[in-house]
Amino acid sequence: MTPVLPSTTALALLAALALAGTPTTSKAQNVLYGPVRVIDGDTIEIQRQRIRLHGIDAPESAQECSDARGRSYRCGQAATQALASLVRGASVNCQIRDKDRYGRLVAVCRRGGVDLNASMVRQGHALAYRQYGTDYVSHETAARTRKLGVWQGRFTMPWDWRRTQGGKSTASPAPPQGCAIKGNISASSERIYHVPGQAYYERTRISEAKGERWFCAESEARAAGWRRARR
């Protein structure tokens, strides 16, 4: 059977979109491409689609680790900053492998020829997530040997930390009566509020110790400098 080749017009359009930085999806190759927003050390967003980096697990945004001198630092924030540095505002190519239970795509993502998943583990800012694959075990071994990132000191594996939330309750404090809007601070210090019924409302936890808070009205949240969650 003679293969059907894309028309010259179609190829020109795809090239123009790529040069413009417009997010594109190739169903044939199951690839998502476009400018990136970094959510945390193992999650990005392209065209408002959340993407979990395959085969790795980074410290959570609020997680703390100890450095080589035993001093506490926010390793979750360090991981987020490391991924943002790898992306550097460029468009990213993600090869989709699966979809997780939260509706996020699971993918291997690259900036140019750089495998972001591998780089995060190799720098010690994420670990090989053996439960979902052994692709990056050798990168983890290299980081551990060189005492890079979290391997420089003591830390709790992210999957263990999530189970205990650092030994603290995962429940948010009860809101003031009639004030159900959740004001959350993201890993990049962005102030975002969630209203009941939005996609991430139930999952969002409020930590008043971190400066997060409840609002009684959206106008109150906006006046305080918070923006509404996109979904």
Side-chain angles (χ1 to χ4, degrees):
M1 178 177 179
T2 304
V4 178
L5 299 177
S7 68
T8 303
T9 302
L11 288 173
L13 177 59
L14 286 172
L17 288 171
L19 288 172
T22 304
T24 61
T25 304
S26 167
K27 292 184 178 179
Q29 297 181 1
N30 211 18
V31 170
L32 188 63
Y33 173 83
V36 166
R37 186 166 76 95
V38 173
I39 306 301
D40 57 31
D42 53 34
T43 310
I44 63 175
E45 186 175 270
I46 298 178
Q47 201 177 7
R48 297 190 179 182
Q49 174 64 62
R50 291 288 172 104
I51 301 171
R52 180 69 155 78
L53 300 185
H54 164 74
I56 77 171
D57 197 9
E60 295 296 318
S61 298
Q63 188 171 346
E64 296 188 355
C65 303
S66 297
D67 65 15
R69 296 183 180 181
R71 298 172 300 189
S72 179
Y73 74 101
R74 298 291 289 272
C75 50
Q77 289 187 359
T80 302
Q81 292 165 3
L83 183 54
S85 179
L86 285 169
V87 172
R88 287 182 291 182
S91 290
V92 166
N93 183 308
C94 291
Q95 182 77 44
I96 310 305
R97 292 203 175 187
D98 202 354
K99 180 176 284 190
D100 70 12
R101 58 179 175 168
Y102 301 113
R104 299 174 299 187
L105 299 176
V106 179
V108 175
C109 297
R110 294 178 174 83
R111 176 186 180 271
V114 177
D115 183 330
L116 300 179
N117 307 41
S119 295
M120 287 296 291
V121 178
R122 190 165 52 242
Q123 292 180 9
H125 292 299
L127 296 102
Y129 208 175
R130 291 168 174 79
Q131 180 179 347
Y132 297 101
T134 58
D135 309 53
Y136 305 109
V137 171
S138 62
H139 300 83
E140 180 185 292
T141 301
R144 185 170 63 247
T145 300
R146 297 174 63 191
K147 299 187 184 304
L148 299 177
V150 295
W151 299 106
Q152 66 183 292
R154 299 179 62 185
F155 68 98
T156 301
M157 295 294 184
W159 46 87
D160 290 331
W161 191 90
R162 284 193 295 271
R163 278 200 292 267
T164 62
Q165 288 287 283
K168 300 175 183 178
S169 170
T170 60
S172 296
Q177 187 172 2
C179 303
I181 297 174
K182 296 179 177 180
N184 176 250
I185 300 177
S186 72
S188 58
S189 299
E190 189 176 9
R191 296 169 181 259
I192 303 170
Y193 69 85
H194 301 257
V195 301
Q198 286 192 293
Y200 296 101
Y201 180 84
E202 294 298 333
R203 202 182 311 168
T204 300
R205 300 289 179 259
I206 298 302
S207 171
E208 294 177 346
K210 290 169 51 182
E212 297 175 334
R213 54 178 291 191
W214 298 90
F215 292 102
C216 303
E218 289 193 64
S219 57
E220 177 190 3
R222 289 193 295 269
W226 303 62
R227 73 159 176 83
R228 183 185 174 106
R230 293 189 175 91
R231 52 180 178 165

